[in-house]
Amino acid sequence: MDTAEIKKRIVQGGMKFTHQRMVIYGALSLSEDHPTAERVHEKIKSANPSISLGTVYKTLDSFVNAGILQKFTDDTGIMRFDPVLETHSHLYCNDSKEFRDFKNPLLEKLLKSFFEENEIEGFEVEEVSLVIKGKTK
Amino acid sequence: MDTAEIKKRIVQGGMKFTHQRMVIYGALSLSEDHPTAERVHEKIKSANPSISLGTVYKTLDSFVNAGILQKFTDDTGIMRFDPVLETHSHLYCNDSKEFRDFKNPLLEKLLKSFFEENEIEGFEVEEVSLVIKGKTK
DNA sequence: GTCTATGCAAACGATTTGCATCCAA
DNA sequence: TTGGATGCAAATCGTTTGCATAGAC
C-alpha cells in the first residue's frame, strides 16, 4: 500500500491526516503478521523516535473506531491488529504463537449458509469469528 | 454436578483434593455463564471468606492444566473459564457482553469435514474455535 | 513426615488516562 | 484560530510471583 492510498484511507475514515498516523498505518499495512501495539512501536521507532507508545495505542484505537483496522485479542489477552477488512479467519501456530490470515471463500460461504439456514433460538447472528489452531509444517 | 462427582474429577485430574478446589469447581460447574476469576471469587467469598483471589487464580490454572476446565480470553483480554469439555462454540452478546455455550452437532460436523477435506498448505489443524457474535433477542 | 496447596502482599505488564503543548484544517 | 492529536508520566487493573505456613496424602 503506498502513501497516497494510506492517506486516502485515513481521510475517508473521517480522521485528520498526521505524520504519526501515516507512519503507524504504514507499518501495519506492510505486515503479514498481526502485530501488538508494542511491536508496531518497535517497528517505527528507529525511523521515528519521537512517536510515543501512548500515541501508538491511541492511534490504533482511532483506526479501529474509524473502521479502517480490525482488532482482536489473542489467547494471552494481548491485542492484535489486522489491516485486512474483508471476512477471513486466522491460523494460529501453537509452536511459534503467531497468527496468519486464512481467506477461504468456500469456508466463508459454508459458515454464512449455515447461520442463514439454522436460526439460533433467541439469538441474532451478526458475525462469526473463527480461529484455527495447529502447527506450521 | 454433586460433591462426589466433583471430587472424582479433581482426583482423576491427578490433583490433591482440597476444600478450596471443591468450592471453586463447584461454583464453576453451577454456572452457565463463563465467569472470570474475580467473578468466581465473588460467588464463593460470602460462604468462604478465607479463600483468596490468588488461590482462585492458581486453582483455576491447575484445573486447566489438569484438563478438567477450559479457558479462553474474551475481546477485552479477560480470561474466562468453562467447565464444558466437549467441542462447542460460543455465542457472544454484543449488548450484555455475556457468553453462552452453543452446541450444535451439525455445525461441528461441518467444520470437521471441511478441514478433513481441505488441506491447508503448510499447516496442520488441531482444533478450531468459533465465536458467534450478535444480539440476544 | 513430606511435599504440595494456600494466603498474603508485593510485583508485573499491557493498556488507559490526565493534562499541557502542538499542529492540521 | 481552534479543536483535535500528541508526548509524557502517572494510574489502572487483571494476573503472577515469592515466600512463609498449613494441610493432604
Side-chain angles (χ1 to χ4, degrees):
Chain A
M1 204 180 298
D2 65 1
T3 307
E5 175 61 24
I6 296 176
K7 178 162 183 176
K8 194 174 136 199
R9 287 213 183 188
I10 293 173
V11 173
Q12 282 182 345
M15 305 170 72
K16 276 188 190 172
F17 177 78
T18 68
H19 172 65
Q20 289 84 339
R21 288 176 175 175
M22 174 72 223
V23 169
I24 292 169
Y25 203 89
L28 267 158
S29 72
L30 287 175
S31 61
E32 354 52 50
D33 53 357
H34 297 71
T36 63
E38 301 221 50
R39 183 84 194 87
V40 171
H41 188 230
E42 271 173 32
K43 283 190 191 189
I44 64 174
K45 76 177 166 197
S46 57
N48 301 271
S50 69
I51 300 183
S52 69
L53 180 58
T55 295
V56 172
Y57 273 104
K58 285 175 186 165
T59 302
L60 291 172
D61 208 48
S62 306
F63 287 157
V64 172
N65 289 331
I68 62 173
L69 203 64
Q70 291 201 292
K71 89 170 172 200
F72 63 97
T73 303
D74 70 23
D75 273 1
T76 67
I78 296 178
M79 294 161 61
R80 302 277 185 161
F81 297 89
D82 189 348
V84 176
L85 300 179
E86 309 96 66
T87 304
H88 66 287
S89 304
H90 287 118
L91 301 181
Y92 177 73
C93 176
N94 288 319
D95 290 338
S96 69
K97 317 292 185 203
E98 276 168 15
F99 287 92
R100 273 164 53 196
D101 282 338
F102 180 65
K103 274 182 250 188
N104 185 303
L106 176 58
L107 176 60
E108 280 138 33
K109 194 173 159 222
L110 214 64
L111 286 170
K112 191 160 176 280
S113 337
F114 177 87
F115 290 107
E116 277 167 3
E117 286 158 23
N118 298 272
E119 192 89 0
I120 301 177
E121 186 186 330
F123 197 82
E124 189 191 333
V125 178
E126 286 171 357
E127 63 166 310
V128 298
S129 128
L130 184 68
V131 179
I132 304 148
K133 297 175 190 174
K135 281 186 172 36
T136 304
K137 58 176 184 191
Chain B
M1 203 179 299
D2 65 2
T3 307
E5 174 60 24
I6 294 176
K7 178 162 185 178
K8 194 174 135 198
R9 286 213 182 189
I10 292 174
V11 173
Q12 282 182 344
M15 304 171 73
K16 279 187 188 173
F17 178 78
T18 68
H19 172 66
Q20 289 85 339
R21 288 175 175 175
M22 174 72 221
V23 170
I24 292 169
Y25 203 89
L28 266 158
S29 73
L30 287 175
S31 60
E32 354 52 48
D33 54 357
H34 297 72
T36 64
E38 302 219 49
R39 184 83 193 86
V40 171
H41 188 231
E42 270 173 32
K43 284 191 189 186
I44 64 174
K45 76 178 169 197
S46 58
N48 301 271
S50 68
I51 300 183
S52 68
L53 179 57
T55 294
V56 173
Y57 273 103
K58 285 175 185 165
T59 303
L60 292 172
D61 208 45
S62 306
F63 288 157
V64 172
N65 289 331
I68 62 175
L69 201 64
Q70 291 200 291
K71 88 170 171 199
F72 62 97
T73 303
D74 70 19
D75 272 1
T76 67
I78 296 178
M79 293 161 60
R80 303 277 186 161
F81 297 89
D82 188 349
V84 175
L85 300 179
E86 311 96 65
T87 304
H88 66 287
S89 305
H90 287 117
L91 300 180
Y92 177 73
C93 176
N94 288 318
D95 290 338
S96 69
K97 316 292 183 202
E98 276 168 16
F99 287 91
R100 272 164 55 198
D101 282 338
F102 179 66
K103 275 181 250 191
N104 185 304
L106 176 56
L107 175 60
E108 281 138 33
K109 196 175 158 222
L110 214 61
L111 285 171
K112 190 158 176 285
S113 338
F114 177 86
F115 290 107
E116 278 167 3
E117 287 158 24
N118 298 272
E119 192 89 358
I120 300 177
E121 187 188 327
F123 197 82
E124 190 190 332
V125 177
E126 287 172 356
E127 62 167 310
V128 298
S129 131
L130 185 67
V131 179
I132 303 148
K133 297 175 190 175
K135 283 186 169 36
T136 303
K137 58 176 186 190

